[in-house]
Amino acid sequence: MMPSRLLHCLHAALRPPAVRALLAQIAALLPCAALALALDAAGYDLTLLQAVVLQGILAMLITWKIGLAPWWRVIQLLFPPALLVSSAFGLPPLLYLVVFIVLLGWYWSTFRTQVPYFPSSQPVWEAVAAVLPDRPGLRVIDVGSGLGGMTLHLARLRPDIECTGIELAPLPWLYSFLRAKITRSRARFIRGDYENIQFGHYDAVFAYLSPAVMNALYAKAGREMHRGSLLISYEFAIPPYIPDKTIHTTEGTPPLYLWRF
């Protein structure tokens, strides 16, 4: 029993992408050192810059091999050179702490999931408003609501409906919450994980998330959403599920996908 519980705890600890990205950097240290020694034996001495670039390349390859999202590969490649460049400026340690705290608050959900910050635009909000049923009392939720732009727009455009945004990252949630308070908007903002809410309480669910989570999102919607409700995804389709409607908001921009349950 104990080994299985230990394995379960270990699996849970390794689940966040940020943890796996950190382990990829650590795992790249040994082959990087081995390659540096081999090159040294062959008569070629690596400069410090070349060594950190090599470290970044190896970490990027490991990240690709373990299946993290593509943007993590870019982060892994640039992280070691960025540390080298920043250390050359002799910046005070407190500044690094402040930057880390701000980034942690802004990208909190990205550390735990594979969903980065993707802001949508007003043409998307207007397209979503256009496909919503024209009946009072409609309940709409934006999962991963970011700075709250769409939720606030819908609340302003449709005072007859209930508009909610849910956001895991603390700083975007706080910003949207304060925007609603300052502007006296009827929009409501929840800080939390959309996986912990019941989609069946809503008539329409809007998502602008990431390909990494879309299948799980659709499965949750299939289990919980009631007959006649809408799942709307901007940019990301959910194969193999064919949308009931595809809308192009403006020319050259990603489409809006709509599934009716």
Side-chain angles (χ1 to χ4, degrees):
M1 179 64 73
M2 186 59 68
S4 63
R5 287 189 61 185
L6 185 61
L7 286 173
H8 177 75
C9 292
L10 183 61
H11 178 73
L14 296 177
R15 186 179 302 165
V19 174
R20 286 181 281 160
L22 175 61
L23 292 175
Q25 282 287 349
I26 295 171
L29 288 171
L30 186 58
C32 182
L35 280 171
L37 288 173
L39 289 170
D40 182 62
Y44 184 82
D45 293 329
L46 286 179
T47 65
L48 183 57
L49 177 59
Q50 290 170 333
V52 297
V53 169
L54 178 60
Q55 167 72 19
I57 292 172
L58 292 172
M60 178 186 68
L61 292 174
I62 294 171
T63 300
W64 166 73
K65 191 66 177 176
I66 63 178
L68 288 183
W71 57 84
W72 281 108
R73 301 171 205 167
V74 178
I75 293 171
Q76 295 287 61
L77 176 65
L78 297 180
F79 181 70
L83 284 180
L84 179 64
V85 171
S86 62
S87 64
F89 287 100
L91 299 174
L94 182 60
L95 180 61
Y96 291 100
L97 178 61
V98 170
V99 171
F100 173 76
I101 292 172
V102 170
L103 291 177
L104 184 64
W106 195 267
Y107 294 103
W108 181 263
S109 57
T110 308
F111 286 105
R112 287 183 51 186
T113 66
Q114 295 205 57
V115 181
Y117 172 63
F118 282 144
S120 55
S121 59
Q122 186 156 336
V124 177
W125 310 338
E126 292 171 353
V128 171
V131 300
L132 293 178
D134 187 17
R135 71 170 188 268
L138 201 71
R139 293 160 300 179
V140 182
I141 187 164
D142 178 2
V143 296
S145 53
L147 300 180
M150 196 193 77
T151 308
L152 291 164
H153 178 81
L154 288 179
R156 187 166 55 249
L157 194 66
R158 292 284 304 272
D160 60 318
I161 69 175
E162 179 184 310
C163 301
T164 303
I166 183 166
E167 173 58 51
L168 185 59
L171 285 184
W173 166 79
L174 180 61
Y175 179 84
S176 57
F177 177 81
L178 292 176
R179 281 180 73 185
K181 291 295 183 185
I182 291 169
T183 60
R184 299 180 183 275
S185 172
R186 295 174 61 257
R188 187 169 74 104
F189 291 96
I190 306 167
R191 184 182 174 268
D193 191 336
Y194 71 85
E195 292 182 358
N196 297 327
I197 64 170
Q198 173 58 247
F199 279 1
H201 295 160
Y202 301 94
D203 303 293
V205 174
F206 172 81
Y208 186 22
L209 298 174
S210 157
V213 300
M214 296 311 293
N215 283 96
L217 178 77
Y218 190 91
K220 178 177 172 65
R223 290 191 307 269
E224 300 175 359
M225 296 187 75
H226 59 78
R227 184 180 294 275
S229 57
L230 302 175
L231 174 63
I232 306 168
S233 170
Y234 179 54
E235 185 170 349
F236 304 117
I238 314 177
Y241 308 105
I242 300 173
D244 295 291
K245 194 171 187 179
T246 302
I247 302 167
H248 291 271
T249 55
T250 54
E251 187 176 352
T253 59
L256 201 64
Y257 301 100
L258 185 148
W259 292 266
R260 189 180 299 275
F261 289 86

